[in-house]
Amino acid sequence: AAAAIIGLVVVVSLILPNYWVGIVGSGVCLSIALLSYSVVTGQAGIISLCQISFAGIGAVATAQLASNEHVPALLAMIAGGLVAVPVALLVAVLAVRLGDLYVALATLGFALLMDNLVFPANRFDQQGAGVFLNRPSLGPIHFDGDRSFLYLALAVFVLLALLIRNVRRSTTGMSLVALRSSETGVSTLGLSVVRAKLVAFGMSGFIAGVGGGMLAFYTLRARPGSFDTLTGLIWLAVVVTLGVRSSVGPLLAGIVYSVMPELIGTWHLPHWALQLPTLLFGLGAIGLAREPRGVVAQTSDQWIRQARWVRAKLQRSSAPGGTPGPRVEVATGSEP
């Protein structure tokens, strides 16, 4: 599904004007930052409310290294992600031994601390203008245009999604999934709950930092005010509604979050249409009661059931002598 969406984005980018290519590109950059939730929340089941702060750290560090220290832009972006890792580990050390509710409160407190003490520093904020930086280049290839930058964002997203997929299939990833179900069960198996949470926080901090650097490249400046705590709560709500346990949910969440407001403003819809995103989000949140994996998983399950039903009908009709073919079970509920 993720490959199909990425292919569709590439095809559409060849048709759309540059303005909409840039909007989709910003959505893909946001998807990279939202991908961090698939590790810490989707796999480990930890409600972290400071992922946007890690993204802000990555954006600020990327701008400082690229603009002030003259580090190559792509290396500065990777370094910005690495700078966010020890900060994420520090937050994890202070919060992992607490319960679920207290972890959420601790990460929320850290995000508010960053908003009020660190990000307003003049070295980072520059009276609200932020630190300006240029888009990256790779040898003779320059990503100054919106279309080329969109392709770079898609490549970064794919690389990080493959990294998460490999981790999910590893022993560490399996322990994270088990941790989401039962911390006591993980402990009885001889696995370290603290170590698993530290891995989840560290990896999610790196991904969020890289996403913040990509967002800074898109806007050509790293403005800490763009990474406030309230916006982070909206990020979490949107990605959980669409699906936080796969890479498809963050990809769709970032694109929808960026494109839908622009569509409403461009089409000159009535004033009540401005409430459509909130209404759709509310309906999706209600759907979480039926399918905790999100809207994407619920929709894909429906497609799978319909495909199995069609296959069963074709097998019965193609059986020799009109006799019914082999019985095919059609799933009626979502898989665990």
Side-chain angles (χ1 to χ4, degrees):
I5 295 173
I6 291 173
L8 180 61
V9 170
V10 173
V11 172
V12 170
S13 68
L14 300 175
I15 304 173
L16 294 176
N18 287 333
Y19 174 77
W20 286 105
V21 171
I23 297 299
V24 175
S26 69
V28 177
C29 293
L30 177 58
S31 299
I32 298 172
L34 297 181
L35 199 59
S36 64
Y37 288 105
S38 66
V39 178
V40 68
T41 303
Q43 293 189 40
I46 302 171
I47 301 177
S48 174
L49 303 181
C50 63
Q51 296 302 116
I52 193 169
S53 299
F54 299 152
I57 292 172
V60 168
T62 300
Q64 292 292 324
L65 292 173
S67 298
N68 298 336
E69 305 299 331
H70 306 290
V71 177
L74 291 179
L75 291 179
M77 180 188 68
I78 297 174
L82 294 176
V83 168
V85 172
V87 180
L89 292 177
L90 177 61
V91 175
V93 168
L94 298 176
V96 291
R97 297 185 182 275
L98 304 176
D100 294 338
L101 175 61
Y102 299 102
V103 170
L105 292 176
T107 53
L108 177 62
F110 172 77
L112 293 173
L113 182 69
M114 295 294 295
D115 286 351
N116 292 279
L117 293 181
V118 179
F119 287 161
N122 188 58
R123 177 181 177 86
F124 306 140
D125 189 60
Q126 299 287 330
Q127 286 79 40
V131 179
F132 291 85
L133 72 169
N134 296 318
R135 288 183 178 176
S137 60
L138 187 61
I141 304 175
H142 297 275
F143 301 100
D144 298 332
D146 290 334
R147 186 169 285 105
S148 60
F149 186 74
L150 168 62
Y151 298 153
L152 173 64
L154 288 173
V156 173
F157 180 88
V158 169
L159 291 176
L160 293 177
L162 290 177
L163 174 63
I164 294 175
R165 182 184 179 185
N166 291 333
V167 172
R168 185 181 294 119
R169 293 182 175 184
S170 66
T171 304
T172 302
M174 294 179 183
S175 63
L176 289 177
V177 174
L179 179 66
R180 185 183 65 207
S181 302
S182 173
E183 290 189 13
T184 304
V186 172
S187 299
T188 56
L189 292 175
L191 301 176
S192 174
V193 174
V194 174
R195 176 182 176 275
K197 290 184 176 181
L198 288 175
V199 170
F201 264 97
M203 186 174 177
S204 67
F206 173 75
I207 296 173
V210 172
M214 290 297 295
L215 287 170
F217 283 137
Y218 170 75
T219 58
L220 298 179
R221 62 179 180 173
R223 193 171 67 88
S226 303
F227 301 94
D228 61 285
T229 304
L230 181 59
T231 303
L233 298 178
I234 300 175
W235 283 12
L236 176 62
V238 173
V239 72
V240 169
T241 300
L242 288 177
V244 74
R245 298 183 184 177
S246 67
S247 300
V248 182
L251 180 58
L252 283 178
I255 295 176
V256 171
Y257 185 89
S258 300
V259 171
M260 183 171 289
E262 296 294 332
L263 285 176
I264 294 175
T266 303
W267 290 349
H268 303 290
L269 296 177
H271 181 72
W272 57 264
L274 297 175
Q275 305 301 322
L276 282 178
T278 306
L279 176 62
L280 294 175
F281 163 70
L283 294 175
I286 294 173
L288 290 176
R290 178 179 179 184
E291 177 50 76
R293 293 178 298 167
V295 175
V296 173
Q298 184 176 358
T299 304
S300 63
D301 285 343
Q302 294 176 354
W303 290 349
I304 291 173
R305 288 196 295 269
Q306 293 176 0
R308 289 177 177 174
W309 180 82
V310 171
R311 185 179 65 181
K313 295 288 288 185
L314 293 176
Q315 288 180 348
R316 292 192 184 98
S317 62
S318 62
T323 59
R327 187 169 180 264
V328 178
E329 296 290 339
V330 180
T332 56
S334 61
E335 298 177 355

